[in-house]
């Protein structure tokens, strides 16, 4: 699957805007979790943006992802305000959990965990 420049550019704009929105919401609340936008991929017809999120600690994942899904229309509106002049239709937002760092964390624990490395 080859992404066009337009897809990459739109994905980058969405990632930056959504990350900024999450940062702003985090600073306004007293949350005890971290949400990062690890990637955004836009379909060839620019109708869907797949947004991958990393949420830590892991026990908040279900709750936070549920909240984000609940507020999806607001997030789409926010992104649409910023990119509305560049595209005809704001893509539908689909949120996915990025669990790629879980494997790294699991492997690190199996190999001795953090702080147990005598080389450091």
């Amino acid at each position: 699957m080859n992404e066009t420049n337009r897809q990459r550019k739109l994905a980058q704009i969405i990632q930056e805007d959504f990350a900024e929105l999450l940062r702003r919401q985090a600073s306004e609340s007293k949350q005890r979790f971290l949400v990062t936008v690890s990637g955004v991929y836009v379909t060839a017809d620019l109708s869907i943006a797949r947004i991958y999120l990393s949420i830590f600690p892991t026990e908040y994942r279900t709750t936070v992802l549920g909240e984000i899904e609940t507020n999806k229309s607001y997030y789409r509106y926010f992104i649409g305000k910023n990119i509305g002049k560049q595209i005809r239709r704001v893509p539908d937002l689909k949120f996915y959990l990025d669990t790629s760092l879980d494997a790294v964390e699991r492997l690190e624990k199996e190999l001795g965990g953090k702080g147990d490395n005598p080389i450091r």
Side-chain angles (χ1 to χ4, degrees):
M1 175 174 111
N2 291 332
E3 277 188 315
T4 65
N5 284 338
R6 189 160 170 83
Q7 282 174 280
R8 278 193 295 276
K9 187 175 183 178
L10 183 58
Q12 182 180 3
I13 292 168
I14 290 172
Q15 183 167 358
E16 289 169 2
D17 287 350
F18 195 65
E20 177 59 33
L21 178 63
L22 289 175
R23 266 193 299 278
R24 200 175 312 145
Q25 287 180 335
S27 69
E28 292 170 1
S29 71
K30 293 183 170 103
Q31 64 188 31
R32 286 180 270 150
F33 54 87
L34 173 67
V35 181
T36 56
V37 182
S38 56
V40 175
Y41 303 95
V42 178
T43 57
D45 63 359
L46 308 179
S47 66
I48 298 172
R50 293 184 180 98
I51 301 173
Y52 290 84
L53 304 171
S54 295
I55 303 169
F56 292 99
T58 56
E59 61 263 16
Y60 290 108
R61 284 185 179 164
T62 307
T63 307
V64 172
L65 201 55
E67 282 288 318
I68 289 171
E69 282 290 338
T70 300
N71 296 311
K72 185 191 315 195
S73 61
Y74 170 73
Y75 297 137
R76 188 167 182 244
Y77 169 77
F78 176 82
I79 289 170
K81 277 194 334 187
N82 295 335
I83 63 171
K85 303 245 187 300
Q86 299 172 36
I87 58 173
R88 288 186 185 151
R89 185 171 179 267
V90 178
D92 188 27
L93 306 179
K94 305 279 184 187
F95 297 100
Y96 299 91
L97 197 55
D98 182 2
T99 58
S100 59
L101 292 178
D102 292 354
V104 173
E105 188 178 342
R106 209 170 25 256
L107 183 60
E108 195 170 85
K109 284 181 182 175
E110 288 176 14
L111 292 175
K114 297 177 183 171
D116 294 341
N117 189 344
I119 297 173
R120 288 186 200 169

